[in-house]
């Protein structure tokens, strides 16, 4: 039980000290999991991270589940995951409640109109970064183009694209081997 | 009943979003279209809050959407929904880690998944552009472009990509600058 609490606590610290998720989380994980508590080596952390990036779900949660599982089995994985999401739950709920009360003030509306312009750029930057890693040849570009055009003009669930693209990747690679 | 639906929607999001962070975005857009729980404009505001508060973006988005939809119980249920498939998938993978990583089939599937995930996020980005930089409801072509917002976006792009001194700053800084600009120039 003490171990589970420790996992919860350590990952709550990781959650509260990370802004932005994804790669931003790495320094906090290195500090809490590798250096302070010696729960994993640097290499293990990188492996978990890499797998977290290519498995479904939130990367931070995936990494927390891995680390917790290694320390204390299934219960450990759950404890670590609950830890990493706990700060978000509290902070976002408070902010969301607060903003709902202030949403009608003109200054707040102007501020958010400005912020939305900024969000466009943040998303663009994220897409450019992902593009470099994911669109590595013309077949990947074809997948990108089809999914992009499809999701702008058709209102299908993203699930459809994810399944189709996974299948396409599998088949494209098979054809490559034969050719 | 809405809580059950909320759990299911975020369960799907957790199960099918690959690549972390903004990968949840296309699912949240599709959720807005399907359920009418919240608007596209609200999603853009949620992204800003999720990016500028501590915690993983995907979790922040789930909590925020959950709260907007069904209050505190909603934030709990949405977050539980998104982490449940993650936990299950990773617990299974952790059991045979090496095999998973070396599997050709898994690598091939991800070869196709990664560009698709990028495209889905790009399409979601287009959704934000439509409500922040453009006003498609405007009758005249000249009124379609929201010039103040477009200029601000160009400035932020320069600050995050070109200017050496500001490139590495936290997104929070740019969000704060944009908020101030929005108030000063009354967007």
């Amino acid at each position: 039980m003490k171990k589970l609490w420790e996992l919860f606590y350590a990952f709550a610290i990781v959650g509260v000290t990370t802004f932005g998720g994804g790669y931003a989380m790495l320094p906090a994980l290195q500090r809490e999991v590798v250096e302070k508590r010696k729960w994993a080596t640097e290499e293990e952390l990188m492996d978990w991270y890499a797998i977290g990036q290519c498995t479904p779900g939130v990367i931070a949660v995936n990494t927390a589940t891995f680390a917790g599982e290694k320390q204390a089995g299934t219960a450990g994985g759950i404890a670590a995951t609950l830890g990493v999401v706990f700060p978000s739950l509290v902070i976002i709920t408070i902010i969301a409640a607060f903003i709902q009360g202030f949403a009608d003030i003109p200054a707040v509306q102007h501020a958010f109109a400005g912020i939305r312009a900024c969000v466009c750029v943040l998303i663009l930057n994220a897409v450019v970064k992902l593009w470099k890693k994911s669109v590595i040849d013309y077949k990947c570009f074809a997948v990108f183009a089809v999914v992009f055009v499809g999701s702008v003009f058709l209102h299908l669930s993203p699930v459809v694209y994810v399944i189709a693209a996974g299948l396409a990747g599998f088949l494209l690679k098979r054809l490559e081997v034969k050719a | 009943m809405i809580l059950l639906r909320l759990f299911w929607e975020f369960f799907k999001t957790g199960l099918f979003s690959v690549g972390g962070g903004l990968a949840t975005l296309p699912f949240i857009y599709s959720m807005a279209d399907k359920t009418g729980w919240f608007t596209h404009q609200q999603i853009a505001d949620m992204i800003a809050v999720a990016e500028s508060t501590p915690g993983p973006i995907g979790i922040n988005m789930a909590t925020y959407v959950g709260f907007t939809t069904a209050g505190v119980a909603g934030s709990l249920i949405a977050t539980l929904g998104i982490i449940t498939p993650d936990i299950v998938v990773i617990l299974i993978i952790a059991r045979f880690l090496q095999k998973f990583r070396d599997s050709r089939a898994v690598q091939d599937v991800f070869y196709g998944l990664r560009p698709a995930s990028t495209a889905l996020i790009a399409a979601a980005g287009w959704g934000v552009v439509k409500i922040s930089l453009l006003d498609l409801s405007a009758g005249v072509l000249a009124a379609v472009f929201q010039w103040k917002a477009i200029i601000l976006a160009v400035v932020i792009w320069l600050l995050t990509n070109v200017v050496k001194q500001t490139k590495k700053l936290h997104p929070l800084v740019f969000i704060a600058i944009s908020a101030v600009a929005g108030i000063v120039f009354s967007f």
Side-chain angles (χ1 to χ4, degrees):
Chain A
M1 199 58 214
K2 189 161 170 271
K3 190 79 191 180
L4 295 183
W5 171 247
E6 230 180 286
L7 279 165
F8 179 88
Y9 178 76
F11 277 93
I13 302 267
V14 172
V16 84
T17 49
T18 306
F19 277 87
Y23 280 114
M25 184 143 227
L26 206 49
L29 279 170
Q30 282 166 331
R31 203 172 47 238
E32 287 298 318
V33 178
V34 179
E35 287 159 27
K36 243 168 96 182
R37 296 169 207 271
K38 312 238 183 304
W39 282 342
T41 63
E42 193 85 20
E43 287 73 35
E44 275 178 302
L45 186 61
M46 292 314 296
D47 282 355
W48 293 340
Y49 219 71
I51 295 169
Q53 257 173 338
C54 62
T55 44
V58 182
I59 296 171
V61 170
N62 295 350
T63 313
T65 310
F66 262 124
E69 202 271 346
K70 196 197 160 204
Q71 287 305 309
T74 302
I78 294 171
T81 301
L82 291 179
V84 85
V85 304
F86 180 71
S88 293
L89 265 178
V90 176
I91 295 168
I92 296 289
T93 302
I94 293 170
I95 291 179
F98 180 81
I99 285 178
Q100 280 190 341
F102 287 80
D104 297 332
I105 300 170
V108 175
Q109 287 173 351
H110 290 315
F112 270 106
I115 288 171
R116 264 178 245 132
C118 179
V119 168
C120 292
V121 180
L122 293 179
I123 294 177
L124 174 71
N125 290 344
V127 167
V128 170
K129 222 185 272 171
L130 288 171
W131 172 282
K132 286 181 193 152
K133 277 196 221 143
S134 61
V135 185
I136 47 176
D137 55 29
Y138 70 94
K139 282 181 213 157
C140 292
F141 178 77
V143 173
F144 176 91
V146 170
V147 174
F148 181 78
V149 172
S151 48
V152 166
F153 292 104
L154 308 172
H155 287 282
L156 294 177
S157 163
V159 175
V160 176
Y161 298 109
V162 170
I163 291 174
L167 208 61
F170 185 79
L171 294 174
L172 285 170
K173 278 287 182 186
R174 290 297 117 132
L175 291 174
E176 211 170 70
V177 175
K178 275 191 192 140
Chain B
M1 220 47 229
I2 193 166
L3 290 179
L4 210 63
R5 181 85 193 275
L6 202 56
F7 183 88
W8 171 238
E9 289 296 334
F10 276 96
F11 186 90
K12 276 196 294 186
T13 305
L15 189 58
F16 287 103
S17 63
V18 181
L22 294 172
T24 52
L25 212 50
F27 294 88
I28 290 169
Y29 267 98
S30 132
M31 217 182 286
D33 292 337
K34 253 189 335 199
T35 63
W37 286 338
F38 41 89
T39 64
H40 285 191
Q41 187 167 329
Q42 276 175 304
I43 298 176
D45 300 347
M46 291 177 195
I47 298 168
V49 173
E51 293 247 23
S52 46
T53 46
I57 294 175
I59 300 299
N60 291 353
M61 289 299 286
T63 307
Y64 205 146
V65 170
F67 184 87
T68 309
T69 310
V72 176
S75 15
L76 268 172
I77 292 297
T79 303
L80 281 180
I82 201 170
I83 66 176
T84 302
D86 282 25
I87 294 179
V88 173
V89 168
I90 295 294
L91 285 177
I92 293 169
I93 291 176
R95 296 287 141 87
F96 45 103
L97 181 60
Q98 202 59 42
K99 251 195 200 147
F100 175 81
R101 204 175 13 193
D102 297 338
S103 156
R104 280 242 14 206
V106 171
Q107 284 173 9
D108 293 350
V109 166
F110 279 103
Y111 169 83
L113 267 188
R114 282 192 212 106
S117 179
T118 306
L120 286 172
I121 299 171
W126 169 243
V128 184
V129 168
K130 271 197 299 196
I131 55 160
S132 56
L133 306 187
L134 307 173
D135 180 6
L136 295 181
S137 63
V140 228
L141 186 64
V144 167
F145 300 99
Q146 302 290 300
W147 289 113
K148 284 188 218 168
I150 291 172
I151 291 167
L152 176 62
V154 171
V155 170
I156 297 290
W157 184 83
L158 289 171
L159 289 176
T160 49
N161 287 285
V162 181
V163 184
K164 264 210 181 78
Q165 288 83 353
T166 53
K167 246 164 114 168
K168 297 268 173 233
L169 290 177
H170 197 275
L172 184 59
V173 176
F174 305 110
I175 290 173
I177 293 172
S178 307
V180 173
I183 296 171
V184 172
F185 301 106
S186 60
F187 275 34

